[in-house]
Amino acid sequence: MAIVSIDQIKKLRDETGISLAEIKKALQESNGDIQKARDILRIVGQKVLYKKTDRETKSGLIETYVHPTGTCGVMLDIRCETDFVAKNPDFKVLAHEICLQIAAMKPLYIKEDEVSQELLDKEIEIAKEQLKDSGKPEKIINQVLEGKLKKIKSEVSLLSQVWVKDESKTIKNLIEDTVGKIGENIEIKKFARFEIE
């Protein structure tokens, strides 16, 4: 059994907000490897999240961001369960980070299942045209097209986008981490991005 230090436990507690017992258990399971413990705790956080996703999100806040040049702005409607959490610094930081993500990465939708079939059809037609004279077998072409569809959906869907500040996480992971910390369901209701080009 690995020796677990108080510093390791404190660091993971500050990062995740998960119970001390779960953190100690994850550190022991991972033989003191912090990164492996984070992965284990992410799974624990997922279980907590699944229990909370059915809860109604009736409080929250409207967060805004305007780029220093004044040429790009974002408005975000992000919800949580209680007024108390809406005022929580971790919730406010999350809302701000999501606004920065929207400003930088220009998502069109919140979730992948919202992506319009029209957009997907257009992108597939472009990809088919590019692959038409490639000489690749049909099976390979279909795999390439499937991969392109998956990539397009993840690029235009906010929750599936890779977080600009940490490529090991998506925005969905960022929200899940905050849910684990504050103990309430969090939901993005809508957003708008404005830009003067």
Side-chain angles (χ1 to χ4, degrees):
M1 186 182 300
I3 297 173
V4 177
S5 78
I6 299 293
D7 290 338
Q8 288 176 312
I9 293 173
K10 186 178 180 330
K11 180 178 182 172
L12 289 172
R13 172 71 176 171
D14 290 344
E15 285 179 21
T16 66
I18 292 175
S19 75
L20 296 175
E22 289 291 344
I23 291 170
K24 185 176 179 183
K25 184 178 169 186
L27 282 165
Q28 288 172 340
E29 252 181 73
S30 66
N31 291 322
D33 183 321
I34 291 279
Q35 189 55 51
K36 286 181 183 173
R38 280 188 187 110
D39 295 340
I40 292 167
L41 291 171
R42 180 167 276 156
I43 293 166
V44 170
Q46 281 284 345
K47 290 176 184 174
V48 170
L49 177 70
Y50 291 135
K51 291 178 186 174
K52 297 179 185 305
T53 54
D54 290 338
R55 293 185 186 172
E56 188 178 357
T57 53
K58 52 189 177 242
S59 290
L61 60 90
I62 302 297
E63 178 72 13
T64 59
Y65 167 77
V66 177
H67 190 273
T69 62
T71 59
C72 176
V74 173
M75 186 176 282
L76 172 70
D77 177 353
I78 185 166
R79 304 290 178 94
C80 57
E81 297 171 41
T82 64
D83 205 23
F84 177 75
V85 167
K87 296 173 186 171
N88 179 299
D90 289 327
F91 184 74
K92 290 181 176 185
V93 166
L94 172 68
H96 184 72
E97 291 298 333
I98 293 172
C99 280
L100 293 176
Q101 177 78 19
I102 294 166
M105 300 306 292
K106 305 176 184 179
L108 302 173
Y109 306 92
I110 296 171
K111 300 182 243 177
E112 286 189 13
D113 62 4
E114 297 172 349
V115 178
S116 76
Q117 192 59 47
E118 182 181 333
L119 173 69
L120 296 175
D121 291 344
K122 179 182 166 189
E123 292 297 328
I124 286 299
E125 281 306 310
I126 292 168
K128 280 182 179 177
E129 194 61 35
Q130 291 170 340
L131 293 167
K132 181 171 72 174
D133 298 325
S134 68
K136 294 181 180 175
E138 188 175 337
K139 183 178 178 183
I140 299 296
I141 289 175
N142 288 336
Q143 289 173 341
V144 169
L145 293 174
E146 191 176 307
K148 283 192 179 279
L149 271 180
K150 189 174 181 177
K151 184 176 183 221
I152 291 162
K153 284 182 178 183
S154 71
E155 288 174 348
V156 300
S157 306
L158 176 62
L159 294 178
S160 299
Q161 286 184 337
V162 172
W163 185 25
V164 292
K165 291 189 175 180
D166 181 350
E167 292 183 0
S168 71
K169 291 183 179 183
T170 64
I171 295 303
K172 183 178 179 188
N173 298 144
L174 183 64
I175 292 170
E176 291 167 351
D177 290 350
T178 306
V179 168
K181 263 185 175 177
I182 63 175
E184 284 195 13
N185 188 21
I186 296 173
E187 181 181 15
I188 296 174
K189 287 290 189 181
K190 55 189 164 189
F191 68 85
R193 183 183 184 281
F194 308 92
E195 184 173 15
I196 297 171
E197 296 180 27

